[in-house]
Every structure is written in C-alpha cells, then in structure tokens.
Amino acid sequence: MTPETLMKLCESHGGFETPNLNSNLYAHFKGFQRIQNLEPYTELKALWLESNGLQKLEGLNTLTKLRCLYVQQNLLTRIENVQCLVRTLKCAQAAKSSHPDRECPVSDVSQDLDISQNRLTKLEGIGVLPLLSNLNASKNFLIDGESIQEIGLCQVLSTLDLSNNSLEGDAVTDIICQTPALLSLNLTGNPVMSTPQLRKKMICRISKLAYLDRPVFEAERLAAEAWGRGGREAEVEARANYREAQLQKARNEADSFREWKAAKIKERVKKDANSGAALAGSTITSKAATFGCLSGDSSTTANQSAPPKSLVQAIQADPNVGDFWATSTEEPCPVPNEQGKFDVASFRASSFIPEPVSYVDVLPPLPPAFEVSPQGSLLSGIAIETLQDTEHGTPKGLEPTNTNTNFDDLD
C-alpha cells in the first residue's frame, strides 16, 4: 500500500491526487496485507478494505473523521486500534461545545463497522464506540454470550447482524436485549434460534425491534406483548381484537368516503344549477333583445339591455320564441338538460341520405345512332350522318366492323 498506489486508486474512482481532498477511499480486492501510508488522508469518512489479506487493524490513528470502516473478508482475529472512530465522537463534542446553539444529531456522527467473514472469536474493542450504529459480525467464530459481551455497551446500536455463527444460550439474548435502540437483528444460522418462543421473547424485550430475521409487523408485536403479559389466551384475544379494529377502521374509512362523495355531488349539483340558471337568464335576455330588434319594437331597440317584461315572460313560457330555427317544424330548438346545459347532439344537423342514382342517368347524351344494352355496352357501330349517302349507302371504308364493341375494354 504505497502512496503511489493509493493515489492511483483515488484517481480510478473519481477522487483527487491531493490526499486530504478525498472523503472516500476504495482499496478493496487489492491483496494488501497491511494498512499503511494513510496519514495524509485526514478527511476520509469511509474506507473500503474488503477482501484483502489483512491480519491486523493498524494505521488508522490519523483518520479522525472516519465514520465507515469495511474490513470484511480478511484474516482479522481481534478488533483493535479503532480509536479513530472514538475521535470522531470527540470532534463532534468539541464542535457542539464551540457552537452550543447548533444541533448535532447522532446520525451525523454515527459509525458503521463491517467485520464479517473474519476469524473473530470475541467482539472486544467495540465497547469504546458509543456511536456505533451498524455492526456486521456475521460468519465468524462467536460461540456464547461472553464473546459478544461488549455489544451491550453500544447504546445507539440500531442494526446488528450475528448470523452464521455458533451462538447459543440464554446469555446471548440477555446481552442483545441490553441495546434499547436496536431496530434490526439477524440471528439466522445460530443454535440459539432453536430456543422455544425466542421470537416472542425478543419482541417483548426490545420495544423498537422491527426486523428479526423477517419484518415484525404491528399485529405480531401486539400478540407477542399480550403473550408476555398473559400467555396463549391473551395472545389469541389480542389477535382477535386487532382484526376487529382493522375491520372497524375499514368501515369508518368507507363511511367517510361515502359522506365525502355525497357532499361533493351535492356541491356539484348546486353549482351546476346556479350556472344553468345564470345561463338560462342570459339566454332569455339575449333572445328578447334580438327578437325585439327584428320585430321592430322601438322600445326594445332603444334599450336592448332591458327588453319588455311581456316578451321575457313569453320566452320563459316558450323557449322557442325568438329563435330563427323555431319557425321550422323539422328542427326543434335545443332544450337544456337537468343541469341547465345543452347536449352536443341537440345541435347536430339531421342526417342526409342521398337518393340512389342509376349508371345510365349519369352518362352524357349519346348520338341517335347509339343504343345501350341493359348491361351498359354499345351495340351499334359509329354512324356519321354527314358522310352517309342515302342513295348509294354507306361509303366504302366506313362500314362497321364489329357491332358488339364494348367500350369498357378500351383504354
């Protein structure tokens, strides 16, 4: 792990040549056996050292801002020299003391540690990490509660993966339940999973647990807590009460939706009625004014905005009064619907169906010498009256050669 190699790794992953400008360093799958030459990288927040040949954690003391350390799939036998993660907490506390009015959430300085697939027999050294929030120690050689004793010191630990170890005994569950902020726990592949009612016990003792090898839903939590208080009978009663509560909730939501829908429909009908009445009033006024002008009413012509009351009353009694199409008996005046609006179909013109026309009717008039058969073909030849000699007959060369010519075959 030379400085030149580290610089090339930074450049290959979109980093910078200047070490202290990099916040992430990807040094995984490179076969490194030691951690060294990381002193200039003081601004690192995440370090990937997965799948190397590391046997010891070292060279991390200058990384005071490190929050995420991934050293899975190595040859580590113990956890040591992680004081850099402790300094992260101290830096946060110092910033808090210098700026008391500034909030510093735990998530801003939370730490992730992945030490899975190593040769660990005991999780020692993690007790000095009070802000450790995510710990993956799966596929190691942990066997009992003593090997995970320091987990109980991590009070903000929210995600814990201890799968595929050899953990067994009640001491394991007792230590894990000492982490009040635990949200996700994975114990798959451990003998402790064969403990009777283990899932219900863990759910009862860890109030925030939302995942235990599979999601923990509300119904299961209520049933487990009832089981912890009163046994099997209380669990059955709690499940029945939960189902009834869900059904009642669905009924209430359906009733609320129906009430909301009825109110909206009533509001829409009222709005359409008001708009329809306004439209009808304006239509009557315009009809009265137009009809008065056309009929030569001097009073209406002088003041078109105020037509005579008698004319308005006549229009209200008969909507067809004043419409130019009302005089026609074939096309009645459109009538508004229940909402006071007019349908589009009421303004459409009547359908026009043309009368059938024969083929012969569209042909141009033919000379007298032509005759048309019922099939539409010409039967006689061409007769030219100006060249025809009534005394000697048809001149030579003008005799019809084919009396059954069909002009449909001609181009």
Side-chain angles (χ1 to χ4, degrees):
M1 188 179 288
T2 62
E4 293 78 11
T5 303
L6 295 176
M7 185 182 298
K8 291 181 180 179
L9 290 175
C10 293
E11 293 178 355
S12 62
H13 291 90
F16 305 95
E17 295 182 356
T18 304
N20 58 1
L21 295 180
N22 295 281
S23 60
N24 299 318
L25 179 58
Y26 302 91
H28 52 291
F29 295 95
K30 299 300 179 182
F32 297 135
Q33 297 182 359
R34 293 188 59 186
I35 303 175
Q36 53 187 355
N37 298 318
L38 292 178
E39 291 78 8
Y41 296 85
T42 57
E43 298 294 327
L44 278 184
K45 295 182 179 180
L47 177 59
W48 279 264
L49 294 171
E50 175 188 357
S51 297
N52 286 289
L54 304 177
Q55 299 181 8
K56 183 180 180 181
L57 289 177
E58 56 184 349
L60 302 175
N61 295 331
T62 58
L63 308 181
T64 57
K65 297 184 179 181
L66 191 64
R67 299 180 184 177
C68 303
L69 179 61
Y70 304 99
V71 289
Q72 65 269 30
Q73 299 182 17
N74 281 284
L75 305 175
L76 301 176
T77 57
R78 58 182 301 181
I79 302 174
E80 55 186 349
N81 299 324
V82 290
Q83 291 80 2
C84 57
L85 299 177
V86 181
R87 291 192 182 93
T88 303
L89 173 61
K90 294 181 179 179
C91 294
Q93 293 175 348
K96 178 67 176 178
S97 61
S98 60
H99 300 279
D101 56 340
R102 181 183 302 174
E103 296 183 359
C104 183
V106 175
S107 58
D108 291 347
V109 291
S110 60
Q111 301 156 353
D112 300 345
L113 179 60
D114 192 341
I115 52 176
S116 61
Q117 302 187 45
N118 280 281
R119 299 179 179 180
L120 300 175
T121 58
K122 189 176 183 180
L123 296 180
E124 55 183 356
I126 64 173
V128 299
L129 305 176
L131 292 181
L132 183 63
S133 59
N134 301 310
L135 176 61
N136 187 353
S138 62
K139 297 183 179 180
N140 280 285
F141 299 95
L142 309 175
I143 57 175
D144 54 11
E146 184 180 358
S147 60
I148 61 172
Q149 185 69 36
E150 296 190 13
I151 289 180
L153 302 176
C154 303
Q155 295 298 305
V156 297
L157 186 64
S158 60
T159 303
L160 177 61
D161 190 351
L162 296 174
S163 60
N164 298 305
N165 281 281
S166 301
L167 296 171
E168 59 182 346
D170 295 337
V172 174
T173 58
D174 294 338
I175 294 172
I176 294 175
C177 292
Q178 295 177 7
T179 56
L182 193 61
L183 298 175
S184 176
L185 175 62
N186 192 351
L187 293 174
T188 305
N190 288 281
V192 72
M193 291 299 295
S194 60
T195 303
Q197 307 296 340
L198 174 66
R199 186 175 179 84
K200 294 179 182 178
K201 293 178 181 178
M202 300 295 289
I203 294 175
C204 291
R205 300 180 64 179
I206 306 176
S207 59
K208 296 183 179 180
L209 191 63
Y211 185 92
L212 178 58
D213 301 332
R214 65 176 184 271
V216 179
F217 296 104
E218 182 182 1
E220 185 180 6
R221 171 165 291 281
L222 294 176
E225 292 176 352
W227 174 85
R229 294 190 302 266
R232 176 63 179 172
E233 295 180 357
E235 178 187 358
V236 173
E237 183 180 358
R239 291 184 183 276
N241 294 337
Y242 179 80
R243 286 194 294 269
E244 182 62 27
Q246 293 298 312
L247 291 176
Q248 186 61 35
K249 181 181 178 181
R251 296 191 195 101
N252 296 337
E253 291 178 353
D255 294 341
S256 300
F257 175 74
R258 282 192 288 268
E259 294 175 359
W260 172 83
K261 184 178 180 180
K264 288 295 182 181
I265 292 176
K266 185 177 180 180
E267 180 182 355
R268 180 63 182 271
V269 170
K270 183 178 179 180
K271 181 179 178 181
D272 293 343
N274 295 336
S275 61
L279 178 62
S282 62
T283 304
I284 291 173
T285 303
S286 61
K287 284 183 178 180
T290 304
F291 187 74
C293 293
L294 295 177
S295 60
D297 192 343
S298 59
S299 61
T300 306
T301 306
N303 187 9
Q304 295 184 5
S305 61
K309 295 184 178 180
S310 58
L311 183 58
V312 173
Q313 293 175 357
I315 295 175
Q316 291 177 348
D318 185 6
N320 294 331
V321 174
D323 291 334
F324 67 91
W325 56 71
T327 57
S328 175
T329 57
E330 298 180 358
E331 297 292 342
C333 175
V335 180
N337 53 21
E338 297 178 355
Q339 286 75 26
K341 298 183 179 181
F342 294 90
D343 297 332
V344 178
S346 60
F347 292 95
R348 293 177 181 171
S350 58
S351 302
F352 173 75
I353 302 177
E355 298 181 358
V357 180
S358 62
Y359 178 75
V360 177
D361 295 339
V362 300
L363 290 176
L366 299 176
F370 286 86
E371 294 181 2
V372 180
S373 66
Q375 291 77 16
S377 60
L378 299 176
L379 301 179
S380 61
I382 300 176
I384 302 176
E385 296 181 356
T386 55
L387 298 178
Q388 188 177 16
D389 188 356
T390 56
E391 187 175 6
H392 298 91
T394 302
K396 187 177 181 180
L398 296 180
E399 301 87 350
T401 57
N402 187 3
T403 59
N404 294 324
T405 302
N406 191 348
F407 282 85
D408 293 338
D409 296 334
L410 299 179
D411 293 334

